[in-house]
Amino acid sequence: MTATTDLIRMEQIDKRFPGVHALKSVDFDLRAGEVHALMGENGAGKSTLMKCLSGIYQPTSGRIVIDGNEVQLSTPKAAQDLGIGIIHQELELMRDLTVAQNIWIGREPRLSFGRIDEAKLNADAAALFEGMNVSIDPKAPVSSLTIARQQMVEIAKALSFRSRVLIMDEPTAALTEAEIEELFTIIRRLRSEGVGIIYISHKMDEIRRISDRVTVMRDGSYVGTVQAADTPISQIISMMVGRDVDDEPVEVPDLSRAEVALEVRHLSRGRDVKDVTFSLRKGEILGFAGLMGAGRTELARAIFGAEPPDEGEIVVHGHHMTIRSPSDAVAAGIGYLSEDRKHYGLALGLDVRANIALASLGRYADRIGRIDEHRLAGIAQDYIRTLNIRTPHDQQQVRFLSGGNQQKVVIAKWLLRDCDILIFDEPTRGIDVGAKSEIYRLLNDLAARGKAIIVISSELPEVLRLSHRIAVMCEGRLTGILPGGAAQEEIMALATQREGMTAE
Amino acid sequence: QDEMYIPLISKGFQHQFWQAVNAGAQQAADELGVRVTFEGPDNESQVDKQMDMLAAALANKPKAIGFAALDSQAAIPLLRQAQEAGIPIIAFDSGVDSDIPVTTASTDNVAAAALAADKMAELVGGKGKVAVVAHDQTSRTGVDRRDGFVNRMKEAHPDIEIVAIEYGGGDQLKSTEITKALLTANPDLVGIFGTNEGSAIGVVNGVREMGTKGLTIIGYDSGKAQTDAIREGLMAGAITQNPVGIGYETVKAAVAAAKGESVPPSIDTGFYWYDATNIDDPEIAAVLYD
Amino acid sequence: MTASKTDSSARNGRRGATQQKLLAFASLIVLVIGFSVANSNFMQVSNLLAILQAASVNGVLAIGVTLIIITGGIDLSIGTLMTFCAVMTGVVLTWLGAPLIVGVVTAIGTGALSGLISGSLVAKMKIPPFIATLGMMLILKGLSLIVTGTRPIYFNDTPGFDQISRGSLVGWVVPAFPVPNGVLILFVIAGLVSWVLSRTVLGRYTFALGSNEEAVRLSGVNADAWKMAIYAVAGAIVGVGGLLIASRLNSAQPALGLGYELEAIAAVVIGGTSLSGGRGTILGTLIGALIMAVLTNGLRVLSVAPEWQTVVTGAIIIVAVYADQLRRRAPG
Amino acid sequence: MTASKTDSSARNGRRGATQQKLLAFASLIVLVIGFSVANSNFMQVSNLLAILQAASVNGVLAIGVTLIIITGGIDLSIGTLMTFCAVMTGVVLTWLGAPLIVGVVTAIGTGALSGLISGSLVAKMKIPPFIATLGMMLILKGLSLIVTGTRPIYFNDTPGFDQISRGSLVGWVVPAFPVPNGVLILFVIAGLVSWVLSRTVLGRYTFALGSNEEAVRLSGVNADAWKMAIYAVAGAIVGVGGLLIASRLNSAQPALGLGYELEAIAAVVIGGTSLSGGRGTILGTLIGALIMAVLTNGLRVLSVAPEWQTVVTGAIIIVAVYADQLRRRAPG
Ligand SMILES: Nc1ncnc2c1ncn2[C@@H]1O[C@H](COP(=O)(O)OP(=O)(O)OP(=O)(O)O)[C@@H](O)[C@H]1O
Ligand SMILES: Nc1ncnc2c1ncn2[C@@H]1O[C@H](COP(=O)(O)OP(=O)(O)OP(=O)(O)O)[C@@H](O)[C@H]1O
Ligand SMILES: [Mg+2]
Ligand SMILES: [Mg+2]
């Protein structure tokens, strides 16, 4: 370990977008053989800084020094050639290509006449996955993988570059404990090999477990760099948000008398959801835990009519409902916040206001369909304030918001729609600590107001923190429902229980 | 299979002119007790489409084929195939540069357009600027009518200057806009020749919308809009061919050839000048359609 | 601090949008000035009116297809649909002798119905818009010929029909500038559709569908129904185009229409609407249609050889859209 | 656990693809049988050869544009480019008296060059493919007329030129089935391009660009250069189409070509290639082109009235693509 030499130094980096001063003379440095965590609230500028380092954006001003030489990183290729690899926050995969084809894009092993050595390509990818200890078929089309597996493909791709510098922008946002553990093993190995790793995450516990130093940013400015080992998490958080974040534990209300809002009976869909039965009361938060690919998302989509179920009944407030499409579901008072905001949650080209209003437009229009923009503007600004969405104004296109702030816009959309039954699939994916506790408070408030809520989350602490009851799924089956205060071990046991016992 | 089958492969089918040819052909078919089909490509540039049509027609083993070649050279191999199969070919509308067709029923477009030039010169007093709104830059009929008009002007009426030749594809609206632009660019224009029905109607429309007075418009072919314009006095007159006669004579010759009877080597179906003075004469009325 | 940011960049955003429109307008002005200098006849009132008149049919079609393009679709059937609407108007007015207003309703209704069919092919049967409307293009083309027996239908027996496009209400008020009604109708429709796009639920969903259809569906919106409605509205607008052309030619010409769709789409794209959906303005389309009309007229007034007119038109379309690209990239 | 699931779904995908091709082939067979039953003349060897011959030009154009459509683009210039390539061949062979092989090289080279230009408009200047190639369509149309002086160029002085398309190497070997060389060339090109798409780097980037261009760029690939290369290859294939049509007509007809692009694109989509890019096969395109040719020929052999031919063609295009949609949704 040559801990003293700086691999990379970024000095006084400034980046302006139209209407946004995203980076204000930020300093950052990275040493060989360290994991340097980059922290900050949503929209603080972390991804932007990393995009400057990987040749995607050019800083408005400032210097980037690599191995003591100032460099111009004008294209992604230029950065790659200098040994800088990046795992993007938003997945950037070619969905119609196979896993192996994605990983080696641009670096295909060639035979004569420009032919690709497909056998070697697949073998290399398989070897890569072996090293990562995950089983993904290199020949599977990427479009057939869940987000979590796609994320693993992204990681494999970044590793395949054998870079000296590896940037990981929220690599674990879509992963569950088991995969995170594998990833950390890989990171530790790379660190010991002298690779410099920049690690971005909103999961505070990970910072403790993996990082050596922590740099904190706020509102596009550099706040400070500290040693991870001897800095309490609370101090890092207050550096990030400029205040303390308190996090009170869940108190389970007595709901035994509450009306049943939603009953799902013997619901099945394809191979992913098998004979699921459960009920949900008004005012209740039901958490769904499970491993990656357990079928929680598929279950939610089936209830919501996005992928109509093959069999089973859905009863809402005692009435049988035929739900064949999301509009049926919303009409029945069911809302669903998707885990994949980019593909299923947002109209990226529209502005913040329009996205927030998307599910509730009818309510703000008169008989001839004229929209009351004035009222909508007021409402949008309310949500921007309550959810603390970082946007220059409510008419900014959503595509220009940071990942976490985009997520908040989707949440605002469903809050405004005000459904009786709300299904949140990974609601805090990519959301910073401060906002996370805001959202927890919000969900509690909603429940207190009598909403029935399902929260699907791959973060066990989150499920434990929020749920009044916890449903666990494995391979499309509901393997059990536990009370709120259940132990982690109990949940893990159910999550890996292949032979399903009947739930409840 | 008793009924004799004769396909006519034409240059088009959507225009009034071709529909009139078709009408003449059907009339002969009824009289002679044969079955006639009529088709052609969408526009007169689609040489290869016409060949595909000819090939499909040959598949049905007809007794004779009527053919209006878009490009006679390109069609020769298929025509030869027909000849080898003993199927007589009757050329119509315009000839085929080959000795394969047993006869040709056509209008001499060059001579007809030359007549239009003479009439134009006469009506404008032998001098001034005139323009041509043609229907096609490359098709046989387009080229013949344009060149027939232009060359006759050059030879016989040197004081008349042809200032512009534009092409509207026979589209009434495009020809209207072209006419308006021509009038803008050449305020001293004294006459315009429209080389087919769509072009001629377009010219009338454009002149009407611009409110220009005293312009001599000469058209080609007939159709209600043109005959109306002539009666109103907006159009000085037009050349008409005898499309019904072309269709009729083609089928008649085809039947004769199929039966092994002799046919004349060429059938001139003629063309006529008509204007307000003779539009109702029986022999003119017989060749007009609307 | 964030508040101040909001203000300045909001102003910025708005300035950007205005700039773009001004610059598209600038291309138009450059063309007009260029042609005026090259030939003094170009700048006559009568020629300017001729240009406006020439833009009217294409402009109306372009406005219709703008809606569909903003949803991320395309409509190749507008040219032949325009003709079919004209034909159906001819049928009710001339053959059935119905009063004028019935003819107008027929044109618009036929357009809306056909749009609804295209819309359901796209939305319900999930046929890509390109193919669904290519099929409709052929079907409508054939139907026009079948209904009319390939003969034009003349409106001689419907007095006043040609006034729909050729008459001039404006000229009645301002005799010096007798803008034909066809042009007036173009501007009225442009205003109306602009309002619908920016102010109504239909307009909002038009943009939203083009931006991310799946997200709209998963928001519980009946995306299919809205898409069908949008295609129907576009069809109705094309129906107005059918009225305009029928009125101008005082006849329904059944063989017309093929190729008009590409001209209309070109106008839309020159006007800055993105073919990938989610973005577009009616003002832009209007300017695009005017650019096309000025270009065509100007080249003819300059007596450029027809084959060169084609080349120059192609080149200018590319240049105009390139300029638009540069403009858009400039602030980013 | 997850591995087994993954496997099964990958298997599913593969089975799906084969099924799809078989089913598209089924549509073709249904048409052929239908027409044979309706009219026994349809099934003659000479008519089948005529159908193949009719499919050859459209098929070659469709193969070219398939590449571009897989990248997520579109090419409207292929029809007029085909003509321009034919014209340039005419210029070198007839006017300059060059040997046959030079003519062949000229056609392909002209196509590649034009493709390269379209490609750079799209890749470098970021002009949407629809507009870039619409502009090129007009430019090439004009250029063909300008170069030829609007008159066809005949190849009478180049003996053997017409054999490129009309001769029959196959008939030399199997006299009973004299497949014209044009058809042979179509199949050779189909095989070659199929191989390029599935086995080579160019093919890989074709799919990758259509799937997620930004991802390709972020992977450090020179996406622009590859895109230009793909357009150039597509142009070269269109150049072969130009050779075929010129040879078939023994002349270069300068006004031909407009409208051929839509037919080619229809064949591509009927063949199951997605207009949104990332997915497609040459075999599918080949079958699509054959479906179109069988349809056109069959309706003519049945002596269906031309206006009805149009309607039926439009309807069948829609139905064929709808069947494809159903098929695709079935397993998902
Ligand atoms: N292309 C762009 N145009 C305009 N503004 C942008 C653009 N990209 C980022 N921004 C703005 O820059 C700021 C920083 O964004 P960035 O994505 O770097 O945040 P982040 O720290 O990664 O947040 P998160 O934790 O939510 O991912 C945000 O306010 C965002 O809205
Ligand atoms: N888009 C898709 N295409 C094909 N298969 C899918 C798709 N999405 C999910 N699946 C399959 O459905 C199964 C269930 O996945 P689902 O996304 O419901 O799991 P989950 O419990 O929500 O896990 P995750 O944390 O990965 O979201 C997975 O095994 C996966 O193979
Ligand atoms: Mg980020
Ligand atoms: Mg999930």
Side-chain angles (χ1 to χ4, degrees), chain B residues 1-227:
Chain B
Q1 284 292 52
D2 326 326
E3 203 179 39
M4 190 185 278
Y5 170 54
I6 301 170
L8 263 52
I9 308 296
S10 124
K11 294 177 176 178
F13 76 99
Q14 304 173 354
H15 286 101
Q16 288 306 286
F17 177 80
W18 297 115
Q19 285 299 319
V21 174
N22 187 14
Q26 298 302 339
Q27 191 187 325
D30 288 347
E31 284 174 16
L32 302 169
V34 299
R35 187 164 72 91
V36 167
T37 57
F38 189 93
E39 75 174 320
D42 279 349
N43 65 61
E44 298 192 7
S45 67
Q46 297 178 330
V47 183
D48 65 320
K49 296 258 145 67
Q50 196 188 35
M51 301 198 20
D52 290 338
M53 288 175 185
L54 198 53
L58 284 172
N60 276 329
K61 308 192 182 84
K63 289 287 180 290
I65 292 178
F67 184 57
L70 288 174
D71 185 297
S72 43
Q73 289 209 29
I76 284 174
L78 274 171
L79 293 179
R80 205 165 279 143
Q81 197 181 319
Q83 191 182 34
E84 281 159 13
I87 301 167
I89 303 286
I90 316 299
F92 66 96
D93 183 58
S94 48
V96 173
D97 303 332
S98 152
D99 51 5
I100 296 172
V102 294
T103 186
T104 302
S106 68
T107 310
D108 185 343
N109 273 303
V110 176
L115 174 59
D118 289 339
K119 290 288 179 183
M120 175 72 82
E122 181 190 322
L123 289 166
V124 302
K127 62 178 189 309
K129 293 181 177 174
V130 301
V132 179
V133 176
H135 63 282
D136 204 290
Q137 198 171 6
T138 55
S139 74
R140 193 75 260 142
T141 53
V143 169
D144 282 354
R145 290 176 200 172
R146 178 195 66 196
D147 292 352
F149 185 87
V150 171
N151 292 339
R152 178 72 187 173
M153 275 304 178
K154 275 193 201 136
E155 287 159 16
H157 314 288
D159 293 337
I160 291 182
E161 187 194 353
I162 294 177
V163 291
I165 303 171
E166 293 277 352
Y167 303 88
D171 177 315
Q172 289 88 339
L173 189 63
K174 289 220 160 63
S175 304
T176 302
E177 316 296 9
I178 285 174
T179 303
K180 291 167 84 172
L182 283 176
L183 292 172
T184 300
N186 310 284
D188 48 352
L189 215 56
V190 296
I192 303 180
F193 173 45
T195 65
N196 78 345
E197 189 192 344
S199 313
I201 297 171
V203 172
V204 170
N205 252 325
V207 170
R208 186 180 278 145
E209 287 187 359
M210 291 292 273
T212 312
K213 298 272 183 290
L215 200 71
T216 301
I217 303 170
I218 290 180
Y220 208 106
D221 295 336
S222 49
K224 186 161 169 37
Q226 270 195 100
T227 50

Side-chain angles (χ1 to χ4, degrees), chain A residues 214-254:
Chain A
V214 180
T215 290
V216 176
M217 293 176 66
R218 186 164 71 219
D219 284 337
S221 307
Y222 174 83
V223 175
T225 303
V226 296
Q227 294 295 325
D230 45 53
T231 314
I233 292 288
S234 59
Q235 187 189 329
I236 294 177
I237 291 178
S238 66
M239 282 169 79
M240 282 168 60
V241 294
R243 63 184 161 83
D244 287 334
V245 176
D246 51 355
D247 207 22
E248 73 274 22
V250 62
E251 39 186 270
V252 181
D254 176 21

Side-chain angles (χ1 to χ4, degrees), chain C residues 163 166-181 184:
Chain C
Q163 294 303 307
R166 283 187 193 150
S168 176
L169 282 179
V170 175
W172 209 55
V173 184
V174 195
F177 205 64
V179 175
N181 290 343
L184 193 67

